């Protein structure tokens, strides 16, 4: 293995830069030639790849976003797009590729595997919806961003004695809502994994009001319901003063937490180890304190478990 490439793909996640840095530096340490592909699979199709040196990744460990840029590539889903990318990699004599991204990116990696390239996936998505790992790069930072937002909203919510409905990302999962809701002490957490009843949400709210609560926070995962709709319904059913906030893409930005930087460094370095051993077709995960390689197949077959214990705990603590 002489020449490898690294790319970031799909929605960006804080800590992607730390992962790129780990891949580049670990490769150079092992005397591999390491190339960066711009804009994920789009860059493979458009032949946008450049050599990376130690200095290419200086001063990025603490930065959100990705210096390689990222994209979602509808063209790579077509046979023609895939052919262009494969021809480019063959001409460039790239032997292995580290793909930093989420589930969709690993499905893209599979296409390259089938064309004879070793690929290793590094899970990075704020949604934390990859089953092979307890944590994806970016999740911890996003949870901290949401928790910080809840803290700030609490101040104004208390002053005005209002109810706030806060919508968070997560695509069709509720991991961000659950963990940030637990950390932020939300009164109710609405997630796609669990059925919800707005009448029950409202009676919980009213019980709080009767006990003298000055404000309430309802966290809604984007995949469960629209916060606007939830807010309107709560207003209609309770006559309380309600405000709605959609946190949106700010959850994907910001300086990565120490946890995300360390996770990214470990996963990125391990990805290079795997390629050096001549192994591909795997993603690197962090499970119960251990870094391990998981075959893509296993990952595609399984669904990330929702933490029902935490869901129940959040509900008990918000009584
Ligand atoms: O997968 C990360 C994510 O931020 C999801 O939480 C969200 O649903 C989606 O990406 C938003 O995608 P886009 O950047 O294309 O708006």
């Amino acid at each position: 293995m002489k020449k490898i490439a690294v790319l970031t793909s799909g929605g960006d996640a804080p800590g992607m830069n730390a992962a790129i840095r780990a891949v580049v530096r670990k490769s150079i340490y092992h005397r591999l030639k390491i190339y960066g592909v711009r804009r994920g699979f789009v860059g493979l199709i458009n032949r946008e790849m450049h050599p990376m040196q130690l200095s290419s990744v200086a001063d990025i460990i603490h930065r959100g976003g990705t210096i390689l840029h990222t994209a979602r590539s509808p063209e790579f889903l077509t046979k023609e797009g895939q052919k262009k990318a494969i021809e480019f990699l063959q001409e460039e004599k790239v032997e292995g590729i580290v793909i930093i991204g989420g589930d969709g990116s690993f499905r893209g990696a599979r296409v390259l595997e089938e064309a004879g390239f070793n690929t290793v996936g590094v899970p990075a998505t704020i949604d934390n919806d990859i089953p092979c790992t307890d944590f994806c790069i970016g999740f911890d930072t996003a949870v901290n961003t949401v928790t910080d937002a809840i803290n700030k909203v609490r101040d104004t919510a208390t002053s005005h004695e209002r109810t706030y409905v806060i919508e968070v990302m997560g695509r069709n999962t509720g991991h961000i809502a659950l963990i940030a809701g637990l950390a932020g002490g939300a009164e109710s957490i609405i997630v796609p994994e669990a059925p919800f009843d707005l009448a029950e949400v409202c009676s919980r709210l009213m019980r709080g009001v009767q006990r003298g609560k000055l404000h309430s926070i309802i966290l809604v995962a984007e995949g469960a319901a629209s916060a606007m709709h939830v807010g309107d319904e709560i207003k209609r059913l309770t006559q309380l003063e309600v405000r709605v906030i959609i946190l949106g893409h700010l959850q994907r930005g910001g300086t990565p937490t120490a946890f995300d930087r360390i996770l990214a460094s470990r996963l990125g370095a391990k990805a290079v180890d795997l390629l050096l051993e001549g192994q591909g077709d795997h993603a690197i995960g962090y499970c119960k304190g251990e870094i391990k390689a998981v075959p893509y197949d296993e990952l595609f077959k399984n669904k990330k478990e929702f933490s029902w214990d935490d869901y129940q705990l959040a509900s008990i603590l918000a009584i």
Side-chain angles (χ1 to χ4, degrees), residues 75-314:
E75 197 183 350
F76 191 76
L77 297 175
T78 67
K79 287 276 169 233
E80 207 176 312
Q82 291 168 6
K83 189 165 165 271
K84 282 188 199 165
I86 290 163
E87 277 171 6
F88 172 61
L89 287 167
Q90 283 165 344
E91 282 169 34
E92 289 287 333
K93 299 193 172 25
V94 171
E95 288 155 88
I97 308 141
V98 177
I99 303 208
I100 304 169
D103 178 78
S105 313
F106 299 163
R107 288 181 194 275
R110 219 349 154 34
V111 171
L112 302 179
E113 279 289 334
E114 279 157 16
F117 300 99
N118 276 342
T119 73
V120 178
V122 172
T125 163
I126 64 163
D127 301 339
N128 209 33
D129 58 352
I130 308 280
C132 70
T133 184
D134 294 342
F135 296 101
C136 296
I137 297 164
F139 175 67
D140 184 63
T141 306
V143 164
N144 277 284
T145 299
V146 174
T147 306
D148 186 48
I150 296 173
N151 295 343
K152 287 176 173 150
V153 166
R154 259 179 196 287
D155 291 344
T156 179
T158 313
S159 308
H160 289 265
E161 299 176 47
R162 282 174 177 160
T163 295
Y164 273 81
V165 178
I166 305 178
E167 183 178 305
V168 300
M169 281 187 164
R171 204 176 285 277
N172 48 11
T173 66
H175 306 293
I176 298 178
L178 173 61
I179 301 303
L182 189 54
E187 272 64 33
S188 289
I189 302 173
I190 298 177
V191 292
E193 289 85 350
F196 69 95
D197 175 4
L198 279 179
E200 165 52 28
V201 171
C202 291
S203 31
R204 185 186 274 260
L205 268 178
M206 293 315 289
R207 282 200 300 273
V209 171
Q210 275 146 24
R211 272 195 359 256
K213 267 198 174 183
L214 293 182
H215 68 258
S216 295
I217 307 279
I218 318 280
L219 225 55
V220 182
E222 64 175 352
S226 133
M228 283 302 195
H229 168 71
V230 171
D232 286 346
E233 282 300 288
I234 292 176
K235 223 180 287 179
R236 188 177 68 78
L237 293 168
T238 63
Q239 313 303 314
L240 290 171
E241 198 179 358
V242 181
R243 293 288 186 273
V244 174
I245 300 175
I246 298 171
L247 291 181
H249 291 80
L250 70 82
Q251 294 162 89
R252 291 220 307 243
T255 189
T257 58
F259 180 88
D260 272 332
R261 296 181 205 187
I262 292 164
L263 179 68
S265 302
R266 289 178 176 158
L267 299 186
K270 180 73 178 173
V272 175
D273 285 342
L274 235 66
L275 289 178
L276 273 169
E277 289 161 15
Q279 210 183 345
D281 213 17
H282 280 69
I284 308 294
Y286 177 76
C287 295
K288 298 185 177 49
E290 261 181 64
I291 304 290
K292 59 177 200 178
V294 184
Y296 290 140
D297 267 348
E298 200 178 308
L299 185 149
F300 296 148
K301 272 203 312 255
N302 293 307
K303 194 171 180 297
K304 174 86 171 197
E305 268 180 43
F306 185 70
S307 176
W308 291 105
D309 287 350
D310 285 335
Y311 185 72
Q312 204 190 357
L313 178 65

